[in-house]
Amino acid sequence: MRVLDLSCDIAGRFGASQFVAAGDDVLRCAPLQSVSPWLDDGKRVIDPAELPALLPDCDLVWTSFDRGEYLGQAAGLAVPEGCVHVTTSSYGTTGPYADWRGGSMADWAAGGYLFITGDPDREPLSGPEHLCAFAAGYTAAIGAEAAVIDRLRSGTGRHIDISTMEAMLLLHQSTFSRTASGELRRRTGRYTEVYPLTVLPCRDGYVSIGVVSDAEFDKLSIAAGRPELTADPRFADRLLRWDNRDALDQELAGFLQQHDGDHVAEILQAGGIACAKVASPLEVARNSQLASRRFWKEATDGGILPGDPLRCFHPFQGGSPGLPPKQPDALPLAGLRVWTSRSSGPVPAPPAHWPILAPM
Amino acid sequence: MIWVERPGARLDTHIAEGAEPTPFELQFNLHDAKMFRGKRSIALNLEEPKDLAVAHALARQAHVVVENFRPGVADKLGVGPAELSRINPALTYVSLSGWGADGPWAEWRSYGPSIEAASSIEGRTGYIDGEPLRLGHTLPDGVGGLVGALAALRGLRRTFAGGEGGWYDISQLEAYVTLAADGVIEAKRTGRDMPLTGNRSRQAGVLQGVFPRRGDDNWIALRLDGDADRMRFAEAARLDRVLPTNIEAAEIAITGFTRLRDKAELAASLQAAGIEAFAVLNALELAADPHLTERGFFVAVQAGGRAYPLPGTPFVADPRMAHPGARAPRPGEQTDAIRATSAPWRQEMRCSSQGG
């Protein structure tokens, strides 16, 4: 399949990169200096001057939109009706906010997560800067795949207008069902409505403990070496555990302060309790589970890049990881200036004659 | 889509026409309406040979199977990827587990917060000098679902094009870590972790935050990227001088402007000046938001004869490609009908896989 990436935002670039992982031929039409080692890994980069010659042969086109306009190379461009056209933006290409300026802070607010994250007596708190855009990128890739499949069946293309705002709102599991029943979700800090489904300090940081049911609380008490807590009337059910959460924190503190977070997780998981250390980015980079599954790829600059979380085994029996299918219908690029962005393998040098273009 | 449920495993949250549900009943009814809409339900006890045979018959005709047992459980039940692919070699089989089907944590248990903790996203969320904090509502479950849906479609396209089926082993951790990978890449590059920064940006020259507005628990999020945005803000706020370069002083100056403004006009006026600004909306405000209303995002779901707004589809498409208003099935509602037919799925869908 022939994919053309004209996007300028993280959602679009990340969404289009899902098609690289699927083995499709993804062309990124952008100035070479704008290429991202991660988001554009495996895309073939073409000079924007070649765009008119390539556009009619594309099956899937990615564009970005902000402040009422298509961005970059997509500005004023007529995308062929027969192809699948995906546009990513903070608010969408229609509606009262279509002319508004989007971005990472607006995404957290518009997606409904900002109001409910943080301490109740402090200002709302945002999460990692680009998380919403990445989630929208996954959403856009789903829409693109579904539309491509429908095009295979029906021959009909379509335009899909993905907003980060709506992508994030869809990810709320119960916020809106609670609102309809009269309960407005607010900020609760480290607490959830059940206890101890929470984060607690341990010897070298913090651990996330997942106890929802009474049976899980019994398992926690036993695994933590405090079996007497199973019979403690203060913690007899979830409502009482919530009412007596400070006392419960004190009872568990002795166990938690004896061990590092990774050790706490091992002990509690062995006892049947969901638990993990609150990891820092560096700890994630050396996480044993991810290492065992070879999730991280070595980048050519000595760093790491994430692998494809869509890990496919094919065929079933024998279980060897599947390789991307071959590219039977790559865009004809003979005579055009092309450079393959390859951040996680051998680095092909950009052609010496590559033109210096203005940033997008 | 046929949903195989264990008999008796799910509460029947149906609310009869005209009934007055309790808030608890309504909440669970609407939760089911969001999560299960458009599916048909068959109740099968996979430990019973005759029910397992029904599951195998369904798998023979299915394009996609999705399961989220812990690793190995589906195999023990006789519905694992090896067994079902033997029955249907063209099948796309998607397994969604917390940590993945192999590795030292494969047997570990997980809830959304465990995944969030292990991903570094919790470790990167928190007030300056504070403790790490979870996001306000669990995201890893939904993100794992997104990646599972993407896997199903990737496999489906492959088989529509004449390829073989495949088993997608999706780890929620890997799906979620990918959303935070920029921070991991950077930490690995520099060899150090960054301290918590609250709402402040880690990018030089960017001034951003969440600032109070007039009223109780009213806030606005805004982001000024560079000198041009700072000048725009100073002009919009009619400050007699440019924003200070010192972050704390600049935040005080911004707060001095925002705290006196109503939320309705503040975001619009800053946006009119070309500034990234958005009111921090709660769920009630979002459900009534004019932008989302015009785009048709919320759908009215009926419960007991009344309509309630729930998120619809993020796929705003022309031609339309999703129909989020369908109702959710009661537990096992279509069991007899599905058992009684030899063609449980619509004919045109089955034909499409043979002709492309």
Side-chain angles (χ1 to χ4, degrees):
Chain A
M1 190 172 67
R2 297 163 294 198
V3 182
L4 181 62
D5 179 11
L6 304 177
S7 63
C8 304
D9 58 5
I10 286 176
R13 295 169 78 173
F14 180 63
S17 75
Q18 301 307 308
F19 288 79
V20 175
D24 295 307
D25 180 28
V26 182
L27 297 185
R28 176 150 181 81
C29 182
L32 198 54
Q33 60 267 43
S34 73
V35 169
S36 154
W38 171 29
L39 296 176
D40 300 323
D41 186 21
K43 297 175 185 174
R44 294 197 287 166
V45 183
I46 61 165
D47 184 340
E50 315 290 0
L51 184 56
L54 295 171
L55 192 59
D57 291 324
C58 290
D59 299 298
L60 170 62
V61 178
W62 291 78
T63 61
S64 301
F65 184 93
D66 192 39
R67 286 175 260 187
E69 295 177 342
Y70 283 90
L71 303 179
Q73 304 301 321
L77 194 72
V79 176
E81 282 190 7
C83 72
V84 172
H85 176 196
V86 180
T87 303
T88 49
S89 62
S90 280
Y91 316 112
T93 65
T94 63
Y97 303 155
D99 291 338
W100 282 22
R101 180 173 174 180
S104 53
M105 281 304 286
D107 290 343
W108 278 110
Y113 270 82
L114 196 46
F115 184 79
I116 60 177
T117 301
D119 287 335
D121 55 352
R122 295 192 64 177
E123 73 274 19
L125 186 63
S126 56
E129 195 152 355
H130 300 301
L131 187 148
C132 303
F134 285 115
Y138 273 144
T139 305
I142 291 169
E145 277 285 10
V148 163
I149 291 169
D150 187 59
R151 183 171 177 264
L152 286 172
R153 298 167 52 213
S154 67
T156 306
R158 54 164 48 85
H159 181 223
I160 307 171
D161 178 12
I162 299 292
S163 78
T164 302
M165 181 181 194
E166 291 161 351
M168 289 301 291
L169 287 170
L170 188 72
L171 291 173
H172 288 259
Q173 286 185 45
S174 60
T175 300
F176 294 97
S177 52
R178 284 170 183 244
T179 303
S181 66
E183 180 188 338
L184 183 64
R185 192 182 284 279
R186 293 182 179 276
R187 296 185 296 286
T188 55
R190 70 182 177 91
Y191 296 107
T192 61
E193 58 269 30
V194 289
Y195 208 79
L197 180 63
T198 192
V199 175
L200 290 170
C202 60
R203 189 162 65 185
D204 67 341
Y206 295 85
V207 287
S208 170
I209 294 175
V211 168
V212 174
S213 67
D214 294 343
E216 286 174 332
F217 179 72
D218 290 350
K219 288 180 183 175
L220 170 69
S221 304
I222 293 164
R226 299 294 308 277
E228 72 278 13
L229 296 179
T230 62
D232 192 321
R234 295 175 297 169
F235 314 128
D237 61 33
R238 59 196 293 175
L239 294 176
L240 287 164
R241 288 194 291 276
W242 172 256
D243 289 343
N244 297 299
R245 55 191 182 278
D246 291 340
L248 182 51
D249 286 356
Q250 287 178 13
E251 296 289 356
L252 294 173
F255 163 71
L256 293 171
Q257 290 301 327
Q258 277 178 28
H259 305 285
D260 289 345
D262 286 333
H263 195 201
V264 171
E266 286 169 11
I267 293 169
L268 296 189
Q269 287 281 359
I273 295 298
C275 181
K277 184 181 182 188
V278 177
S280 72
L282 271 180
E283 288 170 326
V284 173
R286 47 178 191 259
N287 174 291
S288 61
Q289 174 68 8
L290 296 171
S292 171
R293 287 167 60 85
R294 297 177 186 168
F295 175 69
W296 297 109
K297 302 184 290 186
E298 281 185 25
T300 50
D301 65 357
I304 55 173
L305 294 174
D308 182 13
L310 280 70
R311 196 169 184 244
C312 184
F313 291 81
H314 175 74
F316 293 121
Q317 277 117 359
S320 62
L323 296 171
K326 64 183 188 302
Q327 300 173 0
D329 55 353
L331 276 169
L333 296 172
L336 302 185
R337 289 166 295 188
V338 178
W339 176 66
T340 300
S341 169
R342 185 68 66 189
S343 307
S344 54
V347 192
H353 63 273
W354 192 268
I356 303 300
L357 301 169
M360 293 172 86
Chain B
M1 180 176 292
I2 294 176
W3 179 22
V4 179
E5 298 190 75
R6 192 155 49 90
R10 179 165 66 107
L11 195 67
D12 187 351
T13 61
H14 175 72
I15 297 171
E17 185 84 16
E20 278 296 327
T22 65
F24 177 85
E25 290 168 338
L26 184 58
Q27 181 185 321
F28 277 79
N29 173 281
L30 295 173
H31 177 268
D32 284 6
K34 178 175 185 290
M35 304 299 282
F36 312 134
R37 57 192 164 197
K39 300 177 183 178
R40 289 178 289 158
S41 168
I42 181 170
L44 295 178
N45 181 353
L46 297 175
E47 291 170 321
E48 293 286 339
K50 66 177 173 42
D51 279 11
L52 182 60
V54 174
H56 285 178
L58 290 171
R60 192 169 291 117
Q61 295 188 53
H63 294 124
V64 175
V65 166
V66 179
E67 58 88 7
N68 71 332
F69 294 110
R70 277 194 295 148
V73 173
D75 290 322
K76 285 180 191 160
L77 288 169
V79 292
E83 178 64 16
L84 296 195
S85 71
R86 186 186 60 75
I87 293 170
N88 178 1
L91 188 67
T92 294
Y93 190 109
V94 181
S95 295
L96 287 162
S97 61
W99 313 103
D102 61 2
W105 294 10
E107 296 293 319
W108 279 22
R109 292 171 185 272
S110 69
Y111 284 122
S114 338
I115 303 290
E116 193 154 276
S119 72
S120 84
I121 287 174
E122 189 157 337
R124 293 168 62 188
T125 303
Y127 298 103
I128 296 170
D129 298 327
E131 61 185 14
L133 282 175
R134 64 186 188 87
L135 297 176
H137 192 22
T138 182
L139 263 175
D141 294 343
V143 171
L146 289 180
V147 175
L150 187 57
L153 289 162
R154 191 183 285 181
L156 206 51
R157 175 157 65 95
R158 182 171 169 150
T159 54
F160 275 20
E164 297 175 275
W167 170 38
Y168 287 88
D169 164 26
I170 305 298
S171 148
Q172 270 189 304
L173 176 64
E174 291 167 3
Y176 207 54
V177 161
T178 302
L179 302 192
D182 53 346
V184 181
I185 292 167
E186 181 65 9
K188 179 74 174 172
R189 189 183 68 78
T190 61
R192 61 191 175 93
D193 285 317
M194 300 290 281
L196 292 171
T197 60
N199 287 312
R200 289 180 182 165
S201 175
R202 297 182 193 280
Q203 291 181 42
V206 173
L207 178 59
Q208 66 177 33
V210 178
F211 300 92
R213 299 173 305 179
R214 180 185 291 167
D216 181 37
D217 207 10
N218 271 329
W219 308 88
I220 187 162
L222 65 84
R223 186 172 195 268
L224 306 176
D225 189 354
D227 291 341
D229 275 355
R230 285 169 170 258
M231 288 177 65
R232 286 189 189 104
F233 182 86
E235 210 171 293
R238 295 181 182 161
L239 302 180
D240 52 9
R241 61 189 180 96
V242 296
L243 281 170
T245 50
N246 175 277
I247 290 179
E248 286 81 7
E251 288 173 342
I252 289 169
I254 293 171
T255 299
F257 170 69
T258 61
R259 69 185 315 152
L260 302 175
R261 267 69 186 179
D262 288 326
K263 64 181 180 184
E265 45 106 3
L266 183 56
S269 64
L270 291 176
Q271 283 282 354
I275 293 167
E276 178 190 330
F278 204 92
V280 181
L281 300 180
N282 65 38
L284 272 174
E285 293 165 329
L286 286 161
D289 181 80
H291 178 77
L292 296 168
T293 301
E294 184 169 316
R295 285 172 59 84
F297 178 69
F298 280 93
V299 293
V301 172
Q302 297 291 324
R306 289 183 57 192
Y308 300 90
L310 285 183
T313 173
F315 305 114
V316 177
D318 181 21
R320 190 176 172 184
M321 62 187 297
H323 301 271
R327 74 175 186 85
R330 299 174 73 171
E333 182 175 341
Q334 290 83 19
T335 299
D336 292 341
I338 295 170
R339 279 178 181 274
T341 180
S342 59
W345 283 281
R346 291 196 298 271
Q347 190 69 18
E348 67 268 25
M349 284 302 293
R350 289 193 289 127
C351 287
S352 64
S353 68
Q354 294 158 12

